[in-house]
């Protein structure tokens, strides 16, 4: 347990100058995280928007429409495994709260360690806002399906209203307050909550795989129309399913659709390799387990099993989802992505859902007239325009969007959508848990005010560190309401620096910190450190990730990144100067691993 106040003093003669090192002689954190909990935390951190949304949205124009997603994710596994090994070896060698901040600051220097981890901390809290908005789109879809299942038309109006940005802010803020409150009150209670919220969506994802494997390509026409309506329009492809094709082949859109379609057929290999960037993003996050290294019980086995084994199991789970989905309905998904996400200036993003208003604002004067009458798709769009004062955008492409209709209007279809909501929700507690240990570690190293690392005497949890992370997470949620896409892009950019510096630290660990390497965990193959081997291989992970990020650079992203890192640098320089004035030798801190 931690001692109240006080600082460590050098051993030896009491008359020697007092040397202040860490905030106190022990962190005071309790090792409560078991191997089972670590597995669940990694699954909860990794499975989310990266697979549920980005996988199928990667087929849209401008990205990777011809990609074989199953192969992309398998290649992505080959790229990320060495990186996870770097984190696992470091975590076993230095099992302390703070993870990559501890690794980088002890190998490359405190300035780089703090500024890089500062970017990841902001990145993680921005990601919570993105997850909240992704979850609210699933909830909107769930409410719509439930309204149809129970024959309650009023719920359809709610499904439209739930797409308003304010609901994302309310929903996300509520989740942060509830889950953050659990973390402050009791870590044991939070771990129990994470377990419950893991088991239910895991059953849901297995049910999704079963539904996908037991239906054929022809079933989508029937399934889609059973949900969105058969309509009264007589055509070879009837109902809401046929509407998508009718709009795609309408003049002048047909030229864009056919060009996009044939390009996707001719560029399969290149698109598959390029989509590995999406796979690597979707497989990231599990290494955040290192941030709670000071609270893991079995440090000898946990990091290997929970990081390396978990990420391998997750990839096979992803392939089990993506292979039947893309094999059977890949062309339909490409069509949906094309109509939903095309950004050509002639007809604009999301154009197919918008009526081309005449002077009298007549719905039937434009694209709305192409939709089959009396389909849910038609009435939601028309009703939203007429009664809600807005045109609802199409539901975001996602795995549950395409899988749930195959289960029909049933409890199973609702369960598949609900499982998607829970995967996103269950990421928030582990994110708050792990990200709060960054600020705790900074405070313990005196780069932040020492008060922040204070623990509750009753629960032994870092109250201030958790509360500050909650506050910044809520700010991230509000910022995400302005632009969810921009927030997601910024989150990716801000996390790259820490990954790259951790890889470099792994390569140089034995050269720059031979003293630490010799007295901690440092496995070797024929005299060559395994962490250095994995670090060199991980460069092949970092390079495509950086290149993929550069492709999507915008002025807004650059300004955000510069501002975040500049603030981090100012904080570090200020605290270093402040500590020097107080006679505190920071160099002594960073020559050592924090006490347990």
């Amino acid at each position: 347990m931690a001692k109240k106040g006080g600082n460590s003093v050098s051993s030896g003669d009491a008359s020697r100058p007092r040397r202040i090192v860490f905030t106190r002689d022990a962190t005071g954190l309790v090792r409560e995280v078991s191997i089972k909990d670590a597995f669940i935390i990694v699954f909860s951190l990794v499975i989310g928007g990266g697979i549920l949304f980005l996988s199928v949205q990667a087929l849209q124009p401008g990205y990777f429409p011809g990609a074989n997603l199953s192969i992309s994710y398998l290649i992505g596994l080959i790229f990320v495994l060495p990186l996870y090994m770097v984190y696992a070896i470091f975590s076993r060698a230095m099992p302390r709260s703070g993870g990559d901040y501890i690794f980088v600051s002890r190998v490359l220097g405190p300035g780089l360690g703090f500024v890089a981890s500062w970017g990841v901390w902001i990145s993680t809290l921005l990601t919570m806002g993105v997850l909240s908005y992704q979850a609210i789109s699933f909830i909107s879809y769930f409410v719509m399906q439930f309204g149809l299942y129970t024959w309650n038309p009023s719920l359809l109006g709610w499904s439209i209203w739930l797409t308003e940005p304010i609901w994302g802010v309310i929903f996300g803020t509520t989740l942060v307050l509830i889950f953050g409150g659990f973390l402050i009150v009791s870590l044991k209670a939070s771990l129990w909550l994470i377990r419950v919220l893991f088991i239910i969506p895991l059953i849901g994802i297995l049910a999704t795989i079963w539904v996908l494997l037991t239906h054929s390509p022809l079933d989508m026409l029937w399934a889609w129309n059973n949900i969105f309506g058969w309509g009264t329009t007589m055509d070879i492809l009837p109902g809401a399913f046929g509407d998508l094709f009718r709009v795609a082949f309408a003049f002048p859109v047909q030229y864009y659709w056919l060009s996009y379609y044939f390009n996707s057929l001719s560029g399969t290999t290149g698109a598959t390799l390029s989509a590995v960037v999406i796979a690597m993003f979707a497989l990231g996050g599990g290494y955040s387990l290192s941030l709670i290294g000071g609270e893991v019980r079995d440090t000898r086995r946990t990091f290997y099993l929970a990081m390396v084994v978990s990420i391998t199991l997750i990839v096979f789970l992803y392939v089990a989802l993506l292979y039947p989905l893309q094999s059977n309905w890949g062309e339909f998904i490409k069509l949906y992505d094309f109509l939903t996400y095309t950004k050509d200036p002639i007809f604009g993003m999301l154009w197919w859902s918008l009526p081309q208003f005449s002077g009298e604002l007549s719905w039937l004067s434009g694209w709305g007239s192409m939709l089959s009458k009396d389909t849910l798709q038609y009435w939601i769009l028309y009703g939203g325009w007429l009664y809600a004062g807005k045109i609802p955008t199409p539901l975001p492409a996602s795995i549950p969007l395409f899988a749930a209709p195959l289960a029909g209007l049933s409890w199973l279809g609702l369960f598949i959508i609900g499982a998607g909501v829970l995967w996103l929700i269950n990421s928030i507690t582990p994110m708050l848990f792990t990200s709060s240990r960054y600020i705790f570690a900074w405070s313990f190293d005196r780069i932040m005010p020492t008060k922040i690392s204070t623990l509750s005497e009753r629960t032994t949890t870092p109250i201030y560190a958790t509360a500050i992370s909650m506050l910044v997470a809520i700010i991230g949620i509000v910022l995400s309401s302005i632009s969810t896409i921009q927030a997601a892009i910024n989150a990716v950019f801000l996390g790259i620096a820490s990954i790259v510096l951790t890889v470099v630290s792994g390569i140089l660990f034995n050269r720059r910190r031979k003293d630490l390497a010799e007295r901690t965990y440092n496995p070797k193959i024929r005299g060559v450190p395994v962490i250095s081997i994995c670090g060199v291989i991980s460069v092949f992970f970092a390079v495509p990730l950086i290149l993929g990020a550069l492709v999507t650079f915008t002025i807004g992203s650059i300004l955000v990144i510069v501002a975040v890192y500049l603030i981090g640098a100012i904080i570090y320089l200020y605290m270093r100067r402040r500590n020097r004035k107080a006679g505190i030798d920071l160099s002594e801190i960073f020559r050592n691993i924090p006490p347990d």
Side-chain angles (χ1 to χ4, degrees), residues 235-259:
D235 206 327
I236 297 176
L237 293 175
F241 184 88
D243 284 346
L244 300 179
F245 290 88
R246 276 186 286 278
V247 174
F249 284 95
F251 178 83
V253 186
Q254 58 183 315
Y255 299 112
Y256 296 92
W257 161 242
L258 292 174
S259 174

Side-chain angles (χ1 to χ4, degrees), residues 105 265 269 280 404 445 495 514:
S105 65
L265 294 179
T269 301
M280 289 191 295
D445 280 354
K514 189 176 181 180

Side-chain angles (χ1 to χ4, degrees), residues 10 100 143 188 213 289 325 550:
S10 60
D100 48 1
V143 170
K188 287 184 179 179
L213 289 173
L289 181 69
L325 180 70
L550 291 175

Side-chain angles (χ1 to χ4, degrees), residues 416-439:
I416 288 172
I417 302 170
V421 176
L422 291 180
W423 275 124
L424 297 172
I425 289 176
N426 198 32
S427 298
I428 293 178
T429 300
M431 283 184 175
L432 279 174
F433 182 19
T434 55
S435 63
S436 66
R437 272 37 178 186
Y438 266 135
I439 192 169

Side-chain angles (χ1 to χ4, degrees), residues 294-583:
E295 291 157 276
V296 170
R297 292 179 193 166
D298 184 353
T299 59
R300 186 174 63 87
R301 296 183 300 161
T302 298
F303 298 109
Y304 280 119
L305 292 175
M307 288 188 185
V308 179
V309 176
S310 287
I311 201 65
T312 304
L313 293 176
I314 288 170
V315 168
F316 287 120
L317 194 65
Y318 282 3
V319 172
L321 277 170
L322 293 172
Y323 179 75
L325 180 70
Q326 196 172 12
S327 297
N328 289 334
W329 301 286
E331 301 308 314
F332 179 71
I333 294 171
K334 281 196 291 187
L335 175 65
Y336 190 91
D337 277 0
F338 170 77
L339 293 175
T340 305
Y341 299 109
T342 295
K343 299 181 178 68
D344 191 281
I346 288 182
F347 46 88
M349 186 177 182
L350 303 172
W351 74 274
W352 71 271
S353 71
L354 304 175
Q356 300 295 311
F357 295 134
S358 68
E360 298 178 355
L361 297 179
S362 171
W363 165 268
L364 296 178
S365 69
W367 296 115
S369 62
M370 292 187 182
L371 302 181
S372 299
K373 308 303 183 294
D374 295 329
T375 63
L376 178 65
Q377 193 164 267
Y378 177 88
W379 286 113
I380 282 183
L381 295 175
Y382 180 60
W385 165 68
L386 189 63
Y387 298 108
K390 60 173 285 188
I391 301 298
T393 58
L395 291 164
S398 66
I399 290 177
L401 173 66
F402 301 115
L406 296 170
L409 284 174
S410 65
W411 65 267
L412 181 57
L414 291 170
F415 183 56
I416 288 172
I417 302 170
V421 176
L422 291 180
W423 275 124
L424 297 172
I425 289 176
N426 198 32
S427 298
I428 293 178
T429 300
M431 283 184 175
L432 279 174
F433 182 19
T434 55
S435 63
S436 66
R437 272 37 178 186
Y438 266 135
I439 192 169
F440 173 86
W442 300 335
S443 172
F444 198 76
D445 280 354
R446 297 183 179 274
I447 298 181
M448 283 283 181
T450 56
K451 182 74 172 177
I452 293 175
S453 60
T454 301
L455 302 180
S456 165
E457 293 186 3
R458 185 176 64 85
T459 63
T460 67
T461 57
I463 297 175
Y464 297 111
T466 305
I468 292 171
S469 293
M470 290 168 61
L471 175 62
V472 178
I474 291 171
I475 294 173
I477 290 169
V478 175
L479 292 176
S480 295
S481 68
I482 300 172
S483 175
T484 304
I485 294 175
Q486 189 64 54
I489 291 173
N490 293 339
V492 173
F493 290 158
L494 290 170
I496 290 176
S498 183
I499 293 173
V500 172
L501 290 176
T502 301
V503 168
V504 173
S505 298
I507 296 172
L508 301 178
F509 183 42
N510 285 263
R511 178 178 298 180
R512 290 182 62 90
R513 293 305 308 269
K514 189 176 181 180
D515 57 325
L516 279 182
E518 289 178 348
R519 60 189 169 92
T520 58
Y521 177 69
N522 187 30
K524 297 181 179 181
I525 297 177
R526 296 184 179 275
V528 181
V530 175
I531 193 170
S532 298
I533 296 172
C534 292
V536 171
I537 298 174
S538 295
V539 171
F540 293 98
F541 168 91
V543 170
L545 195 62
I546 294 171
L547 293 177
L550 291 175
V551 170
T552 55
F553 256 153
T554 64
I555 295 297
S557 299
I558 294 172
L559 292 176
V560 168
I561 292 169
V562 170
V564 168
Y565 284 131
L566 183 59
I567 292 171
I570 291 171
I571 291 173
Y572 172 73
L573 293 173
Y574 170 76
M575 291 302 296
R576 187 179 69 172
R577 184 170 180 269
R578 177 180 170 183
N579 281 297
R580 281 180 177 174
K581 282 187 174 182

Side-chain angles (χ1 to χ4, degrees), residues 157-201:
W158 271 103
S159 71
I160 295 173
W161 282 112
L162 283 172
T163 60
E164 289 283 357
I166 186 62
W167 289 107
V169 174
I170 293 172
F171 183 68
T173 302
T174 302
L175 290 178
V176 167
L177 292 175
I178 292 174
F179 294 153
F182 265 89
L183 279 171
I184 290 175
V185 171
S186 171
L187 177 57
K188 287 184 179 179
S190 292
L191 292 174
W192 177 85
L193 183 64
I194 292 172
R195 292 175 204 137
V196 173
L197 291 178
F198 166 75
I199 293 172
I200 297 173

